[in-house]
Protein backbone atom coordinates (compact mmCIF):
# COMPACT_ATOMS: atom_id res chain seq x y z
CA UNK A 1 0.00 0.00 0.00
CA UNK A 2 1.39 3.39 -1.01
CA UNK A 3 0.21 6.97 -1.25
CA UNK A 4 -0.48 8.44 -4.69
CA UNK A 5 -1.45 11.96 -5.75
CA UNK A 6 -2.89 13.00 -9.11
CA UNK A 7 -3.43 16.72 -9.62
CA UNK A 8 -3.14 20.02 -11.42
CA UNK A 9 -2.09 23.41 -10.12
CA UNK A 10 -1.11 26.87 -11.31
CA UNK A 11 2.37 25.46 -11.88
CA UNK A 12 1.25 22.76 -14.29
CA UNK A 13 -1.78 24.25 -16.04
CA UNK A 14 -3.02 27.64 -17.30
CA UNK A 15 -5.99 29.24 -15.60
CA UNK A 16 -8.28 28.21 -18.46
CA UNK A 17 -7.59 24.54 -17.70
CA UNK A 18 -7.76 24.99 -13.92
CA UNK A 19 -11.21 26.47 -14.35
CA UNK A 20 -12.34 23.23 -15.97
CA UNK A 21 -11.04 21.01 -13.16
CA UNK A 22 -12.21 23.33 -10.36
CA UNK A 23 -14.40 21.66 -7.74
CA UNK A 24 -16.97 23.15 -5.41
CA UNK A 25 -17.41 21.40 -2.02
CA UNK A 26 -20.21 19.16 -3.26
CA UNK A 27 -18.26 18.10 -6.35
CA UNK A 28 -15.17 17.43 -4.22
CA UNK A 29 -17.12 15.03 -2.03
CA UNK A 30 -18.67 13.27 -5.02
CA UNK A 31 -15.29 12.85 -6.74
CA UNK A 32 -13.67 11.52 -3.58
CA UNK A 33 -16.44 8.94 -3.21
CA UNK A 34 -16.17 7.90 -6.86
CA UNK A 35 -12.42 7.47 -6.47
CA UNK A 36 -12.95 5.27 -3.44
CA UNK A 37 -15.24 3.00 -5.45
CA UNK A 38 -12.51 2.22 -8.00
CA UNK A 39 -10.28 -0.87 -7.82
CA UNK A 40 -6.91 -0.59 -6.05
CA UNK A 41 -7.97 2.42 -3.90
CA UNK A 42 -8.70 2.10 -0.18
CA UNK A 43 -8.67 5.77 0.95
CA UNK A 44 -9.12 9.15 -0.74
CA UNK A 45 -8.82 12.85 0.08
CA UNK A 46 -9.47 15.70 -2.38
CA UNK A 47 -7.69 19.05 -1.92
CA UNK A 48 -9.37 21.78 -3.99
CA UNK A 49 -8.33 25.44 -3.77
CA UNK A 50 -8.35 28.48 -6.05
CA UNK A 51 -5.12 27.28 -7.68
CA UNK A 52 -5.02 23.48 -7.35
CA UNK A 53 -7.07 20.31 -7.49
CA UNK A 54 -5.35 17.20 -6.10
CA UNK A 55 -6.62 13.71 -5.39
CA UNK A 56 -4.69 11.76 -2.76
CA UNK A 57 -5.27 8.02 -2.45
CA UNK A 58 -3.87 5.06 -0.61
CA UNK A 59 -3.30 2.60 -3.43
CA UNK A 60 -2.76 -1.14 -3.62
CA UNK A 61 -1.40 -0.94 -7.18
CA UNK A 62 0.29 2.10 -8.71
CA UNK A 63 -0.63 1.73 -12.38
CA UNK A 64 -4.20 0.63 -11.81
CA UNK A 65 -4.85 3.45 -9.35
CA UNK A 66 -3.25 6.09 -11.59
CA UNK A 67 -5.41 5.04 -14.51
CA UNK A 68 -8.65 5.08 -12.54
CA UNK A 69 -8.04 8.33 -10.66
CA UNK A 70 -6.82 10.11 -13.80
CA UNK A 71 -9.85 8.91 -15.75
CA UNK A 72 -12.26 10.31 -13.16
CA UNK A 73 -10.50 13.69 -12.99
CA UNK A 74 -10.34 13.98 -16.78
CA UNK A 75 -14.02 13.07 -17.11
CA UNK A 76 -14.99 15.66 -14.50
CA UNK A 77 -13.05 18.36 -16.34
CA UNK A 78 -14.19 17.15 -19.78
CA UNK A 79 -10.59 17.22 -20.97
CA UNK A 80 -9.25 15.19 -23.87
CA UNK A 81 -6.42 12.77 -23.18
CA UNK A 82 -3.67 14.89 -24.75
CA UNK A 83 -4.67 18.08 -22.94
CA UNK A 84 -5.11 16.24 -19.65
CA UNK A 85 -1.75 14.47 -19.84
CA UNK A 86 -0.02 17.73 -20.75
CA UNK A 87 -1.07 19.43 -17.53
CA UNK A 88 -1.52 16.68 -14.92
CA UNK A 89 1.18 15.60 -12.46
CA UNK A 90 1.51 12.33 -10.57
CA UNK A 91 3.55 11.70 -7.43
CA UNK A 92 3.94 8.30 -5.79
CA UNK A 93 5.16 7.10 -2.43
CA UNK A 94 8.10 9.23 -1.22
CA UNK A 95 7.47 11.92 -3.86
CA UNK A 96 3.79 12.10 -2.86
CA UNK A 97 4.70 12.48 0.82
CA UNK A 98 7.18 15.23 -0.03
CA UNK A 99 4.56 16.96 -2.19
CA UNK A 100 1.81 17.22 0.45
CA UNK A 101 4.36 18.30 3.07
CA UNK A 102 5.59 21.05 0.72
CA UNK A 103 2.02 22.09 -0.11
CA UNK A 104 1.09 22.42 3.56
CA UNK A 105 4.24 24.45 4.21
CA UNK A 106 3.25 26.94 1.49
CA UNK A 107 6.18 26.00 -0.74
CA UNK A 108 3.96 25.10 -3.69
CA UNK A 109 1.55 28.03 -3.36
CA UNK A 110 0.88 30.79 -5.84
CA UNK A 111 2.04 33.20 -3.12
CA UNK A 112 5.17 31.69 -1.58
CA UNK A 113 4.69 30.75 2.05
CA UNK A 114 1.02 31.74 2.28
CA UNK A 115 -0.61 30.20 5.33
CA UNK A 116 -4.15 29.98 3.96
CA UNK A 117 -3.30 26.60 2.45
CA UNK A 118 -3.04 25.14 5.96
CA UNK A 119 -6.73 25.77 6.55
CA UNK A 120 -7.59 24.37 3.12
CA UNK A 121 -5.63 21.16 3.77
CA UNK A 122 -7.29 20.87 7.18
CA UNK A 123 -10.74 21.35 5.63
CA UNK A 124 -9.99 18.65 3.04
CA UNK A 125 -9.06 16.20 5.79
CA UNK A 126 -12.12 17.07 7.90
CA UNK A 127 -14.39 16.58 4.90
CA UNK A 128 -12.81 13.21 4.16
CA UNK A 129 -13.25 12.20 7.81
CA UNK A 130 -16.90 13.29 7.77
CA UNK A 131 -17.56 11.40 4.52
CA UNK A 132 -15.54 8.36 5.70
CA UNK A 133 -13.28 8.34 2.63
CA UNK A 134 -10.07 8.61 4.66
CA UNK A 135 -8.47 5.84 6.70
CA UNK A 136 -5.44 5.50 8.99
CA UNK A 137 -2.80 5.92 6.26
CA UNK A 138 -3.94 9.22 4.73
CA UNK A 139 -5.12 10.49 8.10
CA UNK A 140 -1.60 10.07 9.49
CA UNK A 141 -0.11 11.66 6.36
CA UNK A 142 -2.35 14.74 6.46
CA UNK A 143 -2.01 15.21 10.21
CA UNK A 144 1.76 15.20 9.81
CA UNK A 145 1.51 17.62 6.87
CA UNK A 146 -0.47 20.06 9.03
CA UNK A 147 2.12 19.84 11.79
CA UNK A 148 4.90 20.52 9.29
CA UNK A 149 3.05 23.52 7.88
CA UNK A 150 2.67 25.00 11.34
CA UNK A 151 6.30 24.28 12.13
CA UNK A 152 7.49 26.04 8.98
CA UNK A 153 5.56 29.20 9.86
CA UNK A 154 6.62 29.06 13.51
CA UNK A 155 10.33 28.57 12.88
CA UNK A 156 10.81 30.79 9.81
CA UNK A 157 9.51 33.99 8.24
CA UNK A 158 8.29 32.20 5.13
CA UNK A 159 4.92 33.97 5.19
CA UNK A 160 6.35 37.50 5.17
CA UNK A 161 5.58 37.89 1.45
CA UNK A 162 1.88 37.46 2.05
CA UNK A 163 -0.01 35.28 4.51
CA UNK A 164 -2.80 34.61 2.02
CA UNK A 165 -4.06 35.15 -1.51
CA UNK A 166 -6.32 37.86 -0.07
CA UNK A 167 -3.52 39.92 1.42
CA UNK A 168 -1.46 39.46 -1.73
CA UNK A 169 -4.32 40.81 -3.82
CA UNK A 170 -4.68 43.79 -1.50
CA UNK A 171 -0.98 44.49 -1.82
CA UNK A 172 -1.30 44.36 -5.61
CA UNK A 173 -4.26 46.77 -5.44
CA UNK A 174 -2.13 49.46 -3.85
CA UNK A 175 -3.05 52.41 -1.66
CA UNK A 176 -6.77 52.37 -2.42
CA UNK A 177 -7.30 49.46 -0.02
CA UNK A 178 -6.09 51.53 2.94
CA UNK A 179 -7.56 54.86 1.83
CA UNK A 180 -9.86 56.31 4.45
CA UNK A 181 -13.12 56.49 2.47
CA UNK A 182 -12.75 53.42 0.22
CA UNK A 183 -15.98 51.45 -0.12
CA UNK A 184 -15.81 47.69 -0.61
CA UNK A 185 -18.26 45.23 -2.12
CA UNK A 186 -17.66 41.53 -1.51
CA UNK A 187 -19.57 39.10 -3.72
CA UNK A 188 -19.84 35.74 -1.97
CA UNK A 189 -20.04 34.64 1.64
CA UNK A 190 -17.82 31.56 1.77
CA UNK A 191 -14.41 30.97 3.31
CA UNK A 192 -12.58 33.39 1.00
CA UNK A 193 -15.18 36.12 1.58
CA UNK A 194 -14.89 35.69 5.34
CA UNK A 195 -11.11 35.94 5.08
CA UNK A 196 -11.41 39.10 2.98
CA UNK A 197 -13.75 40.70 5.55
CA UNK A 198 -11.52 39.75 8.46
CA UNK A 199 -8.41 41.04 6.68
CA UNK A 200 -10.03 44.38 5.86
CA UNK A 201 -11.31 44.87 9.41
CA UNK A 202 -7.90 43.95 10.80
CA UNK A 203 -6.38 46.64 8.55
CA UNK A 204 -8.64 49.24 10.13
CA UNK A 205 -11.40 49.45 7.55
CA UNK A 206 -14.72 50.47 9.13
CA UNK A 207 -17.24 47.63 8.86
CA UNK A 208 -19.85 50.10 7.57
CA UNK A 209 -17.71 50.57 4.44
CA UNK A 210 -17.93 46.85 3.60
CA UNK A 211 -20.98 45.35 1.90
CA UNK A 212 -21.43 41.62 1.39
CA UNK A 213 -23.80 40.21 -1.23
CA UNK A 214 -24.66 36.55 -1.67
CA UNK A 215 -27.25 34.65 -3.66
CA UNK A 216 -28.44 33.15 -0.39
CA UNK A 217 -29.15 36.28 1.62
CA UNK A 218 -29.09 34.42 4.93
CA UNK A 219 -25.40 33.62 4.46
CA UNK A 220 -24.63 37.30 3.89
CA UNK A 221 -26.59 38.03 7.06
CA UNK A 222 -24.54 35.48 9.00
CA UNK A 223 -21.35 37.27 7.93
CA UNK A 224 -22.94 40.60 8.84
CA UNK A 225 -23.79 39.41 12.34
CA UNK A 226 -20.33 37.90 12.76
CA UNK A 227 -18.30 40.96 11.67
CA UNK A 228 -20.63 43.96 11.57
CA UNK A 229 -20.47 44.47 7.78
CA UNK A 230 -23.56 45.30 5.73
CA UNK A 231 -25.48 42.43 4.19
CA UNK A 232 -27.12 43.25 0.84
CA UNK A 233 -29.47 41.25 -1.34
CA UNK A 234 -28.23 39.74 -4.59
CA UNK A 235 -30.84 41.65 -6.59
CA UNK A 236 -29.30 44.90 -5.30
CA UNK A 237 -25.83 43.90 -6.50
CA UNK A 238 -25.68 46.40 -9.38
CA UNK A 239 -26.62 49.34 -7.15
CA UNK A 240 -23.92 48.36 -4.67
CA UNK A 241 -21.43 47.87 -7.51
CA UNK A 242 -22.07 51.42 -8.72
CA UNK A 243 -21.25 52.73 -5.24
CA UNK A 244 -18.13 50.61 -4.59
CA UNK A 245 -14.49 51.57 -5.11
CA UNK A 246 -13.23 47.99 -4.76
CA UNK A 247 -15.05 44.81 -5.76
CA UNK A 248 -13.81 41.52 -4.29
CA UNK A 249 -15.51 38.57 -5.97
CA UNK A 250 -15.31 34.98 -4.74
CA UNK A 251 -18.73 33.49 -5.39
CA UNK A 252 -17.90 29.94 -6.46
CA UNK A 253 -20.27 30.31 -9.43
CA UNK A 254 -19.79 28.12 -12.49
CA UNK A 255 -19.58 31.04 -14.90
CA UNK A 256 -18.84 34.75 -15.16
CA UNK A 257 -20.83 36.91 -12.73
CA UNK A 258 -19.45 40.32 -13.73
CA UNK A 259 -19.22 40.70 -17.48
CA UNK A 260 -18.01 43.77 -19.35
CA UNK A 261 -21.45 45.43 -19.76
CA UNK A 262 -22.14 45.07 -16.05
CA UNK A 263 -18.85 46.70 -15.07
CA UNK A 264 -19.31 49.45 -17.66
CA UNK A 265 -22.76 50.16 -16.28
CA UNK A 266 -21.23 50.93 -12.89
CA UNK A 267 -19.74 53.99 -14.60
CA UNK A 268 -16.84 54.68 -12.25
CA UNK A 269 -13.14 53.92 -11.72
CA UNK A 270 -12.80 50.69 -9.80
CA UNK A 271 -10.36 48.08 -8.62
CA UNK A 272 -11.72 44.60 -9.25
CA UNK A 273 -10.27 41.64 -7.38
CA UNK A 274 -11.27 38.20 -8.65
CA UNK A 275 -10.36 35.39 -6.25
CA UNK A 276 -12.68 32.79 -7.74
CA UNK A 277 -12.00 29.65 -9.75
CA UNK A 278 -13.69 29.49 -12.20
CA UNK A 279 -13.33 33.24 -12.67
CA UNK A 280 -16.16 35.56 -11.63
CA UNK A 281 -15.01 38.60 -13.62
CA UNK A 282 -14.61 38.75 -17.41
CA UNK A 283 -10.95 39.38 -18.26
CA UNK A 284 -12.08 41.82 -20.95
CA UNK A 285 -12.88 44.47 -18.33
CA UNK A 286 -9.17 45.32 -18.30
CA UNK A 287 -9.81 47.44 -21.40
CA UNK A 288 -12.29 49.70 -19.61
CA UNK A 289 -10.83 53.10 -18.72
CA UNK A 290 -10.28 53.50 -15.00
CA UNK A 291 -10.79 49.82 -14.25
CA UNK A 292 -8.01 47.67 -12.80
CA UNK A 293 -8.41 43.89 -12.60
CA UNK A 294 -6.41 41.74 -10.21
CA UNK A 295 -7.07 38.04 -10.69
CA UNK A 296 -5.23 34.76 -10.34
CA UNK A 297 -3.31 35.45 -13.55
CA UNK A 298 -1.86 38.61 -11.97
CA UNK A 299 -1.20 36.93 -8.64
CA UNK A 300 0.52 33.96 -10.26
CA UNK A 301 3.23 36.29 -11.55
CA UNK A 302 4.39 37.08 -8.04
CA UNK A 303 7.71 35.28 -7.59
CA UNK A 304 10.02 34.40 -4.74
CA UNK A 305 11.41 37.37 -2.91
CA UNK A 306 15.20 37.43 -2.52
CA UNK A 307 14.89 38.27 1.17
CA UNK A 308 13.02 35.01 1.70
CA UNK A 309 15.82 32.85 0.31
CA UNK A 310 17.09 31.81 3.75
CA UNK A 311 13.56 31.01 4.94
CA UNK A 312 12.87 28.98 1.81
CA UNK A 313 16.03 26.97 2.36
CA UNK A 314 15.12 26.35 6.00
CA UNK A 315 11.57 25.24 5.21
CA UNK A 316 12.84 22.90 2.50
CA UNK A 317 15.23 21.40 5.03
CA UNK A 318 12.35 20.92 7.47
CA UNK A 319 10.27 19.20 4.79
CA UNK A 320 13.13 16.90 3.76
CA UNK A 321 13.81 15.88 7.38
CA UNK A 322 10.14 15.26 8.05
CA UNK A 323 9.76 13.16 4.89
CA UNK A 324 12.59 10.88 6.03
CA UNK A 325 11.12 10.60 9.53
CA UNK A 326 7.65 9.83 8.21
CA UNK A 327 8.87 7.15 5.79
CA UNK A 328 10.99 5.45 8.46
CA UNK A 329 7.98 5.33 10.79
CA UNK A 330 5.78 4.00 7.99
CA UNK A 331 8.36 1.32 7.11
CA UNK A 332 8.60 0.28 10.76
CA UNK A 333 4.83 -0.10 11.00
CA UNK A 334 4.86 -2.33 7.92
CA UNK A 335 7.74 -4.49 9.15
CA UNK A 336 6.51 -5.00 12.72
CA UNK A 337 3.60 -7.37 11.86
CA UNK A 338 6.01 -9.65 9.99
CA UNK A 339 8.40 -9.80 12.95
CA UNK A 340 5.55 -10.46 15.39
CA UNK A 341 4.16 -13.18 13.13
CA UNK A 342 7.62 -14.81 12.91
CA UNK A 343 8.01 -14.89 16.68
CA UNK A 344 4.48 -16.23 17.08
CA UNK A 345 5.24 -19.01 14.62
CA UNK A 346 8.39 -19.93 16.56
CA UNK A 347 6.43 -20.04 19.83
CA UNK A 348 3.77 -22.25 18.26
CA UNK A 349 6.48 -24.66 17.00
CA UNK A 350 8.03 -24.90 20.48
CA UNK A 351 4.64 -25.51 22.13
CA UNK A 352 3.80 -28.20 19.60
CA UNK A 353 7.11 -29.98 20.16
CA UNK A 354 6.74 -29.83 23.95
CA UNK A 355 3.26 -31.32 23.65
CA UNK A 356 4.61 -34.10 21.41
CA UNK A 357 7.43 -34.90 23.85
CA UNK A 358 5.03 -34.86 26.79
CA UNK A 359 2.79 -37.34 25.00
CA UNK A 360 5.68 -39.67 24.08
CA UNK A 361 7.43 -39.41 27.46
CA UNK A 362 4.64 -39.29 30.06
CA UNK A 363 7.06 -40.06 32.89
CA UNK A 364 8.90 -36.73 32.61
CA UNK A 365 8.56 -34.61 35.72
CA UNK A 366 7.25 -31.05 35.55
CA UNK A 367 10.78 -29.69 36.08
CA UNK A 368 12.19 -31.88 33.31
CA UNK A 369 9.43 -30.78 30.93
CA UNK A 370 10.10 -27.16 31.81
CA UNK A 371 13.78 -27.65 31.05
CA UNK A 372 12.93 -29.14 27.64
CA UNK A 373 10.61 -26.25 26.87
CA UNK A 374 13.29 -23.72 27.90
CA UNK A 375 15.92 -25.45 25.74
CA UNK A 376 13.66 -25.49 22.71
CA UNK A 377 12.82 -21.79 23.16
CA UNK A 378 16.53 -20.91 23.35
CA UNK A 379 17.12 -22.72 20.07
CA UNK A 380 14.15 -21.00 18.43
CA UNK A 381 15.23 -17.58 19.71
CA UNK A 382 18.74 -18.07 18.34
CA UNK A 383 17.42 -19.13 14.95
CA UNK A 384 15.18 -16.09 14.50
CA UNK A 385 17.42 -13.55 16.25
CA UNK A 386 19.54 -12.63 13.22
CA UNK A 387 16.70 -12.19 10.70
CA UNK A 388 14.58 -10.14 13.13
CA UNK A 389 17.49 -7.88 14.04
CA UNK A 390 18.38 -7.51 10.38
CA UNK A 391 14.87 -6.53 9.35
CA UNK A 392 14.75 -3.88 12.07
CA UNK A 393 18.11 -2.52 10.91
CA UNK A 394 16.79 -2.27 7.37
CA UNK A 395 13.87 -0.11 8.48
CA UNK A 396 16.08 2.95 7.98
CA UNK A 397 16.74 1.96 4.37
CA UNK A 398 14.59 1.81 1.26
CA UNK A 399 14.43 -1.97 1.23
CA UNK A 400 12.66 -2.54 4.54
CA UNK A 401 9.28 -3.52 3.11
CA UNK A 402 10.83 -5.76 0.45
CA UNK A 403 12.90 -7.46 3.13
CA UNK A 404 9.83 -8.00 5.28
CA UNK A 405 8.03 -9.63 2.39
CA UNK A 406 11.07 -11.81 1.67
CA UNK A 407 11.22 -12.78 5.34
CA UNK A 408 7.57 -13.81 5.33
CA UNK A 409 8.18 -15.91 2.24
CA UNK A 410 11.47 -17.38 3.54
CA UNK A 411 9.89 -18.62 6.75
CA UNK A 412 6.59 -19.56 5.04
CA UNK A 413 4.65 -17.26 7.33
CA UNK A 414 0.88 -17.38 7.07
CA UNK A 415 -0.11 -14.10 5.38
CA UNK A 416 -3.36 -14.15 7.33
CA UNK A 417 -1.31 -14.07 10.53
CA UNK A 418 0.67 -11.05 9.31
CA UNK A 419 -2.56 -9.31 8.29
CA UNK A 420 -4.11 -10.10 11.66
CA UNK A 421 -1.19 -8.47 13.46
CA UNK A 422 -1.56 -5.45 11.16
CA UNK A 423 -5.25 -5.14 11.95
CA UNK A 424 -4.74 -5.44 15.69
CA UNK A 425 -1.93 -2.90 15.59
CA UNK A 426 -4.08 -0.49 13.59
CA UNK A 427 -6.95 -0.81 16.06
CA UNK A 428 -4.68 -0.17 19.02
CA UNK A 429 -3.14 2.86 17.31
Amino acid sequence: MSVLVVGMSHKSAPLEVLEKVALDPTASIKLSQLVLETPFVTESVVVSTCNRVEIYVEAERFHGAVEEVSRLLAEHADLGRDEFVRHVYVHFDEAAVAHIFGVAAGMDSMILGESQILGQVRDALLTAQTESTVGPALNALFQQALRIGKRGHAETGIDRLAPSIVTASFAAAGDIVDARDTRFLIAGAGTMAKLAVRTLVDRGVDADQIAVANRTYERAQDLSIESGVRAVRWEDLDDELAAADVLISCTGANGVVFDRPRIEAAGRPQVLIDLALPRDIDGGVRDIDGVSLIDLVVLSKLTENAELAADVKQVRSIVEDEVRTFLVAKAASQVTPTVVALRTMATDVVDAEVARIEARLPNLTADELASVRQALRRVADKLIHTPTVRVQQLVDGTGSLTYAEALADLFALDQAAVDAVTRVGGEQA
Side-chain angles (χ1 to χ4, degrees):
M1 299 291 286
S2 299
V3 63
L4 164 73
V5 57
V6 177
M8 290 187 189
S9 75
H10 65 286
K11 290 187 175 181
S12 71
L15 189 59
E16 293 75 15
V17 175
L18 286 180
E19 286 181 309
K20 294 180 180 180
V21 300
L23 298 164
D24 60 28
T26 300
S28 292
I29 292 171
K30 182 179 179 180
L31 182 59
S32 184
Q33 291 171 337
L34 287 174
V35 166
L36 196 59
E37 293 173 1
T38 63
F40 320 119
V41 172
T42 59
E43 303 178 32
S44 68
V45 179
V46 173
V47 176
S48 178
T49 75
C50 64
N51 55 38
R52 76 177 61 249
V53 172
E54 296 178 340
I55 304 172
Y56 291 84
V57 302
E58 181 73 355
E60 295 176 346
R61 285 178 51 187
F62 170 72
H63 293 292
V66 167
E67 291 174 2
E68 291 295 324
V69 174
S70 298
R71 176 182 61 81
L72 288 172
L73 185 57
E75 288 177 356
H76 157 74
D78 194 23
L79 291 173
R81 183 183 182 281
D82 290 343
E83 187 176 16
F84 180 79
V85 170
R86 189 160 59 248
H87 300 299
V88 74
Y89 50 78
V90 174
H91 301 301
F92 183 67
D93 232 352
E94 181 176 351
V97 173
H99 181 74
I100 183 57
F101 287 1
V103 167
M107 298 298 290
D108 197 58
S109 296
M110 186 177 290
I111 309 300
L112 180 67
E114 59 97 4
S115 56
Q116 185 181 2
I117 186 62
L118 266 177
Q120 293 165 330
V121 171
R122 184 184 300 108
D123 289 344
L125 176 59
L126 290 174
T127 298
Q129 291 171 338
T130 300
E131 299 298 324
S132 299
T133 64
V134 69
L138 291 185
N139 186 72
L141 177 66
F142 272 67
Q143 294 286 3
Q144 185 66 7
L146 291 171
R147 285 191 287 270
I148 291 166
K150 292 177 183 177
R151 181 185 169 192
H153 291 292
E155 297 181 14
T156 75
I158 193 65
D159 56 3
R160 280 181 291 154
L161 189 58
S164 72
I165 292 289
V166 171
T167 52
S169 68
F170 289 171
D175 295 339
I176 191 171
V177 174
D178 296 313
R180 183 173 181 178
D181 297 324
T182 298
R183 288 165 293 182
F184 297 87
L185 171 61
I186 299 176
T191 301
M192 193 73 76
K194 292 177 181 178
L195 179 59
V197 168
R198 185 168 66 248
T199 304
L200 288 172
V201 172
D202 288 347
R203 292 171 77 119
V205 177
D206 193 311
D208 290 338
Q209 296 171 231
I210 306 171
V212 175
N214 194 67
R215 282 189 172 86
T216 305
Y217 181 61
E218 289 73 19
R219 294 192 66 193
Q221 283 184 310
D222 290 342
L223 192 47
S224 173
I225 294 170
E226 179 182 321
S227 56
V229 300
R230 292 188 301 113
V232 299
R233 296 188 179 278
W234 193 254
E235 51 266 31
D236 297 327
L237 190 61
D238 288 328
D239 292 337
E240 294 293 335
L241 180 62
D245 301 298
V246 177
L247 166 67
I248 304 166
S249 192
C250 41
T251 68
N254 290 325
V256 170
V257 177
F258 299 95
D259 56 18
R260 183 180 180 117
R262 194 171 201 174
I263 298 301
E264 287 179 326
R268 56 177 293 140
Q270 288 180 314
V271 172
L272 311 178
I273 299 175
D274 189 352
L275 301 178
L277 188 69
R279 287 173 287 193
D280 281 343
I281 303 175
D282 182 358
V285 302
R286 284 190 173 92
D287 298 333
I288 302 174
D289 289 341
V291 171
S292 174
L293 174 61
I294 298 165
D295 59 10
L296 298 180
V297 173
V298 173
L299 295 175
S300 67
K301 295 177 181 178
L302 295 177
T303 57
E304 293 187 11
N305 193 312
E307 66 185 83
L308 295 180
D311 296 304
V312 170
K313 183 177 180 180
Q314 187 175 352
V315 172
R316 284 177 177 157
S317 178
I318 290 172
V319 169
E320 290 171 1
D321 289 344
E322 293 285 359
V323 168
R324 283 193 294 270
T325 300
F326 182 85
L327 292 176
V328 166
K330 182 178 181 180
S333 69
Q334 293 172 317
V335 165
T336 297
T338 301
V339 174
V340 172
L342 175 62
R343 291 191 176 278
T344 300
M345 184 194 72
T347 299
D348 291 344
V349 169
V350 169
D351 291 342
E353 285 301 308
V354 170
R356 189 176 65 83
I357 291 172
E358 186 176 13
R360 291 184 59 186
L361 303 172
N363 295 326
L364 288 177
T365 65
D367 287 342
E368 290 172 333
L369 197 60
S371 296
V372 171
R373 178 181 285 106
Q374 185 175 13
L376 289 173
R377 284 181 175 171
R378 282 199 300 268
V379 172
D381 287 343
K382 288 180 180 180
L383 287 174
I384 66 174
H385 174 73
T386 297
T388 54
V389 169
R390 177 63 178 148
V391 78
Q392 292 293 349
Q393 290 173 340
L394 288 177
V395 164
D396 289 333
T398 58
S400 57
L401 180 57
T402 301
Y403 193 89
E405 292 170 341
L407 188 62
D409 184 66
L410 178 65
F411 283 88
L413 298 180
D414 183 359
Q415 186 59 43
V418 177
D419 292 341
V421 174
T422 303
R423 286 196 299 273
V424 171
E427 292 168 1
Q428 292 175 340

